[in-house]
Amino acid sequence: MAAPWEDVLQNKAAVQEAARVAVDAALLAGVLMRTEDQPNASDVVNYAPFTLLPSAVPSALFEQAYAVQQDFNLLVDAISQNKEFLEHTLASTIKVDDFTARLFRIHVQVLEEGLAQSVFLGINRSDYMFDCGVDGTPALKQIEINTIAASFGGLTSRTAAVHGQVLKVLGKSEEASRLLPNNPAGGLALGIAKAWELYGSPSAVVMFLVEEVQRNIFDQRCVENELWNRNIRVIRKRFRDVFEKGSLDDARRLYMDGQEVAVVYYREGYVPNNYDQQNWEARLMLERSRAVKCPDIATQLAGTKKVQQELSRPGTLERLLPGCPEAVARLRATFAGLYSLDMGEEGDKIAAMAIADPDRFVLKPQREGGGNNLYGEELRQVLEKIRNSPERTSYILMDKIKPQPAMNYLLRAHSPLQVSECVSELGIFGVYVRHGKEMVMNKAAGHLLRTKATEHADGGVAAGVAVLDTPFLV
Ligand code: ADP
Ligand code: MG
C-alpha cells in the first residue's frame, strides 16, 4: 500500500521546500480555519492542518466505499422512518443516557403531533479504515456513519489541488495528474438546493444552524457560497437566535426575523454541551416546523452508535431493507465486529471478553466529535467498574480496526516539521432527498481523507488530532 514517495520522505531540503509551497498553496486555495485565539473573527486566519503528501489508498477499497454509499443513504432513511426500530433499539440506552433520551423525547413528541415536514434531506458521511488482516490484505471496515453536521466537505474540495502542486514541486507530475477531483461542497449544495426547491417557496431561505464558537466557518462557507451562486439566500443562526427570534405560524411554517425558512442545515446540536434549556426549546420548535431539517431528529438518532451496533445483528439489515439482498450484502461487508452491552447474559459475556483482552476492542459512548472512546487499559478499568451496572448500556463495544501505518508529515501552524507514523480514515459523503415516499435524489457526493499520527487512538480534525489528506489510489 506504499505510496511512491518513500524516496522523498528522507530528503530534508526537498521536504522543507515542499512544505513552504504547500502552506502557501493551502492559504491561496482557501483551506482555512479561524484561530483558537479568535474563533469568531476572520481578521487573522490560518490554514487547516493537512498532510504534506497524499496517502496511499487501495483503489478497490475506495471503489467499494463509493459503491455502498447509496445503500447507506437508503438504510439511514429507512431507519429514520421506522419508529418501532428506533424505540426498540434505543430502549436500554435512553434509560441511562440523558442526551439520547432528550433527543428521543423530541422525536416521539413530534410524531405524536404529526409531521408537518414532507421533504427530507439527508447529508451523511460514512467513515472507514483499512483493516489489515492476518495475511496483510486490507479490508474496508466502517468506523461509524455521521448523520448530523458531517464536516470538512468544503475544505476537502480544495485540498487535492494543494497536494497536486506539492507533488509537482517534488518532481512527481505524473502522480499529481492521477489525483482525483473531489467536490463534496458542490454535492452537498446540490442536495440542499433540491430540498429548498421542493419546499416550494422561492422567497424562503436556507438557515445554517451554527455553533457559538465558529472556527470551522470556511468549511461551511464553501457550501454556503455554492447556494448563493444558485441564487438561494443563506442565513447563519445559532440556537440562541432561534429561541429569541424564531416562530411558527398556524401551518407550522418556520420564520426567523420574519423570513420564511425552507431548509435548516445543522452544523450544531450533536453533543450535550450544545444545549441549555433554551436551546432544547429551540430544537423542539425547529423539529415541529414544516421546514426541511437536515437532519430531522429521527435521522440524527439513526446515526447513534447504539443503532450501528444493532444493525450488525443477524437479520436486522434484511428487516430494514426487505427485497434488497445485494444492498444488504454490500453493507454487511463493511461492518466490523460490534457488540451490545445490554443487561443480561449476552452483555455479561461481552463485558468479560473485553476486560480479558482490552486491546482487541474500542468502547464507545453515544457521543460524537472525537475524543470520547476508550481503549486498552482505560477501557478495562471503566468496564470493570460498570460491568454489573445498567450504566454499561450507554456504551457499545467494537472490534479495534488495525490499519497499516505509513510515514508522512503533518503540517500544522506553529508546529515543527517532523515525520510521523500515520493512519488514515476515509469518509464518503452521502446526499439524498425524499419527497413524501419518493426518493428523488440519492448520491455519493465526494470523499474526505483524514490522517492522524498513530500515537493518538482517537479524534478528528476539529478535535486537533487528524489532518486533511488526499487519497492517492494504488
Ligand atoms: P466520533 O463520533 O467521536 O467521531 P468515532 O466512532 O468516529 O467517534 O471514533 C473516533 C475516532 O476513534 C475515529 O476517527 C478513529 O480514529 C478511532 N476509532 C473509532 N473506532 C475505531 C475502531 N473500531 N478501531 C480503531 N479506531 C477506531
Ligand atoms: Mg467519527
Side-chain angles (χ1 to χ4, degrees):
M1 225 167 70
W5 17 91
E6 300 294 319
D7 54 330
V8 174
L9 283 169
Q10 302 310 328
N11 184 341
K12 245 311 101 72
V15 163
Q16 275 170 353
E17 171 58 13
R20 281 191 288 269
V21 170
V23 167
D24 289 342
L27 289 164
L28 273 177
V31 185
L32 301 173
M33 257 187 169
R34 285 178 175 167
T35 62
E36 222 167 307
D37 292 344
Q38 290 189 43
N40 285 333
S42 297
D43 301 72
V44 176
V45 297
N46 220 320
Y47 60 94
F50 64 104
T51 57
L52 177 65
L53 296 156
S55 292
V57 166
S59 59
L61 303 191
F62 186 80
E63 279 160 28
Q64 186 189 351
Y66 263 94
V68 74
Q69 187 54 44
Q70 287 174 309
D71 303 324
F72 271 115
N73 291 345
L74 290 176
L75 178 64
V76 169
D77 186 52
I79 296 167
S80 77
Q81 295 175 78
N82 193 327
K83 178 170 180 273
E84 291 71 32
F85 175 79
L86 281 174
E87 201 169 273
H88 172 252
T89 300
L90 296 173
S92 59
T93 309
I94 62 181
K95 281 192 198 132
V96 289
D97 187 81
D98 188 49
F99 179 62
T100 312
R102 284 200 89 149
L103 294 173
F104 190 79
R105 281 210 298 277
I106 293 181
H107 166 59
V108 171
Q109 186 176 342
V110 168
L111 284 183
E112 273 168 6
E113 187 181 17
L115 291 184
Q117 180 179 351
S118 61
V119 179
F120 297 84
L121 165 65
I123 292 180
N124 62 53
R125 201 189 67 225
S126 183
D127 290 336
Y128 307 88
M129 281 183 166
F130 314 115
D131 194 28
C132 238
V134 269
D135 62 348
T137 322
L140 186 77
K141 290 295 162 196
Q142 188 183 48
I143 296 286
E144 63 157 347
I145 187 159
N146 303 282
T147 59
I148 180 166
S151 57
F152 292 106
L155 297 188
T156 201
S157 300
R158 294 156 183 240
T159 38
V162 176
H163 282 122
Q165 192 173 344
V166 169
L167 291 184
K168 285 182 197 162
V169 167
L170 291 168
K172 311 233 174 236
S173 308
E174 193 274 323
E175 287 86 350
S177 70
R178 280 165 53 196
L179 295 180
L180 299 171
N182 184 32
N183 186 15
L188 269 46
L190 200 68
I192 296 172
K194 185 74 191 168
W196 174 85
E197 179 196 315
L198 290 171
Y199 180 88
S201 175
S203 62
V205 302
V206 170
M207 176 166 78
F208 281 34
L209 196 92
V210 297
E211 290 173 287
E212 293 284 337
V213 174
Q214 299 174 34
R215 265 195 87 187
N216 203 16
I217 190 167
F218 299 106
D219 182 52
Q220 300 164 5
R221 292 282 197 212
C222 293
V223 181
E224 200 178 313
N225 288 357
E226 297 268 353
L227 292 168
W228 283 108
N229 288 344
R230 291 164 188 270
N231 284 317
I232 298 174
R233 290 192 76 78
V234 179
I235 58 173
R236 299 173 57 85
K237 300 287 173 189
R238 301 159 305 171
F239 273 131
R240 187 153 36 126
D241 305 313
V242 175
F243 179 81
E244 284 166 6
K245 296 189 178 141
S247 63
L248 302 184
D249 72 5
D250 291 345
R252 283 192 265 158
R253 278 183 286 256
L254 174 67
Y255 289 87
M256 276 299 293
D257 290 326
Q259 274 178 312
E260 186 176 0
V261 177
V263 179
V264 181
Y265 173 45
Y266 288 98
R267 294 294 297 252
E268 149 84 326
Y270 52 92
V271 287
N273 72 11
N274 293 157
Y275 292 94
D276 56 16
Q277 189 49 39
Q278 295 187 348
N279 290 4
W280 280 116
E281 282 176 40
R283 179 75 197 256
L284 176 62
M285 183 198 299
L286 298 176
E287 292 304 317
R288 290 184 59 230
S289 81
R290 196 185 188 85
V292 183
K293 271 78 64 183
C294 179
D296 66 348
I297 205 148
T299 304
Q300 181 175 357
L301 288 168
T304 52
K305 311 276 192 286
K306 184 64 192 172
V307 165
Q308 181 186 8
Q309 171 259 303
E310 202 57 28
L311 292 175
S312 74
R313 272 190 204 281
T316 305
L317 286 180
E318 284 82 353
R319 276 198 301 281
L320 288 165
L321 296 174
C324 310
E326 285 107 10
V328 165
R330 280 190 296 266
L331 290 161
R332 186 165 287 138
T334 67
F335 290 176
L338 288 145
Y339 313 91
S340 164
L341 288 164
D342 281 2
M343 299 312 280
E345 216 177 297
E346 180 197 349
D348 292 346
K349 270 197 205 143
I350 299 299
M353 175 175 84
I355 287 167
D357 198 358
D359 285 330
R360 252 187 67 199
F361 303 100
V362 182
L363 186 63
K364 298 190 172 188
Q366 308 304 311
R367 292 292 171 270
E368 304 294 330
N372 303 298
N373 300 337
L374 301 170
Y375 305 81
E377 185 50 29
E378 201 183 355
L379 178 161
R380 198 186 57 75
Q381 280 173 16
V382 169
L383 207 47
E384 192 84 81
K385 210 166 80 199
I386 59 172
R387 73 187 289 179
N388 296 314
S389 140
E391 202 191 326
R392 79 181 194 200
T393 62
S394 64
Y395 293 88
I396 62 149
L397 191 73
M398 184 174 184
D399 281 343
K400 193 197 271 177
I401 295 166
K402 297 185 171 141
Q404 178 73 49
M407 304 309 278
N408 208 329
Y409 290 84
L410 307 185
L411 303 180
R412 260 197 198 93
H414 313 298
S415 296
L417 187 63
Q418 63 193 37
V419 71
S420 307
E421 188 188 72
C422 299
V423 293
S424 300
E425 183 168 342
L426 174 70
I428 307 293
F429 287 95
V431 180
Y432 58 90
V433 178
R434 175 165 52 82
H435 194 189
K437 292 264 161 241
E438 193 196 349
M439 214 36 142
V440 293
M441 181 186 291
N442 180 7
K443 287 180 184 296
H447 55 267
L448 166 71
L449 192 72
R450 291 172 299 166
T451 293
K452 64 176 185 185
T454 48
E455 70 205 58
H456 300 287
D458 208 301
V461 180
V465 171
V467 308
L468 302 172
D469 197 348
T470 297
F472 181 78
L473 300 190
V474 291

